[in-house]
Amino acid sequence: IKKIGVLTSGGDSPGMNAAIRSVVRSCAYHNIECAGIYRGFEGLIEGDFKLMDARSVKGIINKGGTILKTARSKDFRTKEGRQKAFDNLNQAGIEGLVVVGGDGSFTGAMVLNKEFGFPVMGIPGTIDNDIVGTTHTLGFDTALNTVVDAIDKIRDTASSHNRLFFIEVMGRDVGHIALNAGIAGGAEEILIPEEDLGLDRLVESLKRSRKSGKSSSIVIVAEGDKIGKNIFELKDYVDENMEGYDVRVSVLGHMQRGGAPSCFDRVLASRMGVKAVESILEGKSNYMVGLQNGKMELTHLENAIKGKTKINLELLRVSDIMST
Ligand code: F6P
């Protein structure tokens, strides 16, 4: 192999730049070329490539977002789009592709591999941590720190005003951000997609903590939580069913995806980039690199996106005990 391509795709996450840097420098170390592909699979179809040498990725390890940009490509879902992408890869002499992204991006990589036998390697980049085969996806740790910082700030104003706050965090299908940041931020209750706590139990629990002497409270709500009401309807319900609490809502939104990556994410990205490039050079394909028991391990892309990552039940129990 003489040239590897790298792209970032799907929702961005802090650490993607550190991963690009690692892929580019690993290629340079092994004396092969590296092509950066812009806007994910969109840029693959349009042939929007740029050769990157070791110096071209200076000063980006500490930057959020992705210098290669990212997109969710509709055209790549068509056979013609994928054929174009494959032709462009061939024309540019690219012989292996590193895809940094989440489940949608990995599905794209798998199709490219299945249809054309093209060597692909995945690096899990999403704040949601919803990929099997790695305890941490790139950006998860940074997002947690961002969310905890926001909760701390909201707590200041919540306790000054004796208010109850509902704080919505990201997590369309999984509650990893909600559960971890909720515990770290000292939340009373944490609502996640994996569990239906029930509205009545929520109100009972808030009443109990009120009685026990708490004058303000924080409830963390994952955007895909199972109670089936959006965060504003939740607020209204609690408003109607609880006396005397001034209730407010704060939706953290996309700020959770930005910011400088944490030390953990920078190290993880650096390790994953090296492992991804060296795995392709060893002739491996159709895998994702991940962190398992402190080591870099490979998981078949198919298994990485299959099913749901399981919520840590111990954390649920810890959260229950902490809100006593
Ligand atoms: O990156 C994953 C995620 O943050 C989800 O938790 C969220 O639902 C989604 O992305 C929103 O992304 P977008 O606004 O880019 O569609």
Side-chain angles (χ1 to χ4, degrees):
I1 287 192
K2 294 201 181 69
K3 196 192 273 186
I4 284 178
V6 58
L7 61 82
T8 50
S9 158
D12 63 347
S13 70
M16 279 186 163
N17 277 329
I20 295 166
R21 173 181 180 268
S22 175
V23 170
V24 170
R25 294 223 167 137
S26 301
C27 286
Y29 179 85
H30 289 286
N31 290 316
I32 56 172
E33 286 187 315
C34 187
I37 296 151
Y38 286 95
R39 290 170 297 108
F41 293 100
E42 277 302 298
L44 208 53
I45 293 169
E46 289 168 22
D48 196 359
F49 307 160
K50 184 188 162 199
L51 268 186
M52 298 176 92
D53 64 12
R55 296 286 75 73
S56 69
V57 287
K58 68 174 187 236
I60 65 166
I61 192 169
N62 56 335
K63 299 275 191 292
T66 158
I67 59 163
L68 288 178
K69 314 272 178 169
T70 183
R72 295 189 169 105
S73 173
K74 279 204 189 104
D75 288 346
F76 199 75
R77 289 169 199 258
T78 66
K79 178 83 190 168
E80 301 79 63
R82 293 194 294 272
Q83 183 66 50
K84 259 193 192 165
F86 177 65
D87 293 345
N88 286 336
L89 284 166
N90 275 341
Q91 214 170 20
I94 298 171
E95 295 168 280
L97 181 66
V98 178
V99 173
V100 189
D103 52 359
S105 316
F106 288 173
T107 305
M110 270 162 56
V111 177
L112 192 67
N113 179 263
K114 197 171 164 206
E115 285 181 353
F116 305 103
F118 199 84
V120 292
M121 196 57 60
I123 292 182
T126 161
I127 64 164
D128 289 344
N129 208 32
D130 57 348
I131 302 285
V132 177
T134 187
T135 52
H136 290 75
T137 54
L138 276 187
F140 176 53
D141 181 68
T142 306
L144 286 181
N145 286 304
T146 303
V147 172
V148 170
D149 184 49
I151 298 173
D152 287 348
K153 287 176 173 146
I154 291 170
R155 176 179 296 284
D156 288 345
T157 174
S159 68
S160 303
H161 287 265
N162 287 348
R163 279 176 174 161
L164 164 63
F165 263 87
F166 283 95
I167 304 177
E168 186 184 279
V169 301
M170 278 190 168
R172 217 175 346 198
D173 306 309
V174 289
H176 298 294
I177 294 179
L179 192 53
N180 286 276
I183 290 175
E188 304 308 321
E189 288 290 348
I190 303 168
L191 309 184
I192 55 175
E194 292 84 349
E195 278 238 326
D196 186 355
L197 179 71
L199 277 173
D200 294 338
R201 231 207 82 189
L202 173 67
V203 172
E204 280 321 304
S205 151
L206 291 172
K207 282 184 179 165
R208 247 196 332 274
S209 46
R210 211 98 222 235
K211 258 198 195 142
S212 78
K214 285 188 182 171
S215 54
S216 65
S217 280
I218 284 176
V219 178
I220 301 296
V221 186
E223 58 183 339
D225 100 276
K226 267 277 152 22
I227 271 184
K229 288 193 182 294
N230 73 39
I231 195 159
F232 295 98
E233 293 168 338
L234 269 180
K235 171 198 181 283
D236 290 344
Y237 186 88
V238 171
D239 249 347
E240 281 160 23
N241 290 279
M242 263 188 86
E243 294 279 291
Y245 241 149
D246 200 8
V247 192
R248 291 287 188 276
V249 166
S250 184
V251 177
L252 299 188
H254 287 77
M255 58 93 82
Q256 295 165 89
R257 287 223 301 240
S262 64
C263 173
F264 181 89
D265 277 327
R266 295 181 201 192
V267 175
L268 185 63
S270 304
R271 293 176 75 185
M272 284 178 164
V274 171
K275 180 74 176 176
V277 169
E278 292 187 343
S279 299
I280 290 183
L281 293 181
E282 283 163 17
K284 301 208 172 80
S285 171
N286 225 15
Y287 288 98
M288 175 200 83
V289 303
L291 182 67
Q292 293 174 26
N293 299 318
K295 289 200 187 121
M296 284 293 107
E297 303 284 359
L298 298 181
T299 301
H300 274 287
L301 282 177
E302 201 181 328
N303 295 334
I305 60 172
K306 201 166 34 181
K308 262 194 184 174
T309 45
K310 293 214 176 62
I311 216 78
N312 184 344
L313 294 177
E314 186 218 334
L315 290 186
L316 272 183
R317 189 161 170 269
V318 168
S319 152
D320 266 357
I321 295 174
M322 288 305 109
S323 60
T324 301

